[in-house]
Amino acid sequence: SQVFQEVATKRADVTIGSYEDIQGFVKNNPGKLKAITDQPLRYFSKTFQMPTDATTLKSALDITFHDMQLDGAMERIVKQYA
């Protein structure tokens, strides 16, 4: 990625990127960059797109995700894959 190359060539001091993106850069450019932490700095929300008339599906997903947050399932999943 261009932003990682900017840091590697000292045209920029630091950048923020996804774990997947930086790992791809490091694999192809060993020794050029290093992460300042192995923990996420922040989690970014994602969204699902669906037809506007899919109200039943939207309600089911809303309830499921809410329940997953309440019972800790969401946190366990994040810890497992983060």
Side-chain angles (χ1 to χ4, degrees):
S1 173
Q2 182 64 30
V3 294
F4 301 131
Q5 191 62 35
E6 295 288 319
V7 176
T9 59
K10 301 186 189 300
R11 295 182 66 185
D13 294 322
V14 68
T15 188
I16 297 173
S18 73
Y19 179 81
E20 293 81 11
D21 289 343
I22 189 63
Q23 291 307 313
F25 183 86
V26 168
K27 180 180 178 184
N28 294 319
N29 301 275
K32 298 283 184 179
L33 298 178
K34 75 173 191 175
I36 60 170
T37 180
D38 62 353
Q39 297 298 310
L41 299 174
R42 179 175 177 221
Y43 293 104
F44 293 90
S45 63
K46 300 291 182 189
T47 62
F48 290 90
Q49 280 67 49
M50 62 187 77
T52 55
D53 62 350
T55 55
T56 303
L57 174 59
K58 182 182 180 314
S59 293
L61 289 171
D62 287 345
I63 291 167
T64 300
F65 292 142
H66 180 74
D67 288 348
M68 290 174 71
Q69 287 176 323
L70 289 177
D71 73 6
M74 196 72 74
E75 185 174 339
R76 288 190 302 276
I77 292 167
V78 168
K79 283 182 180 179
Q80 181 178 351
Y81 294 102

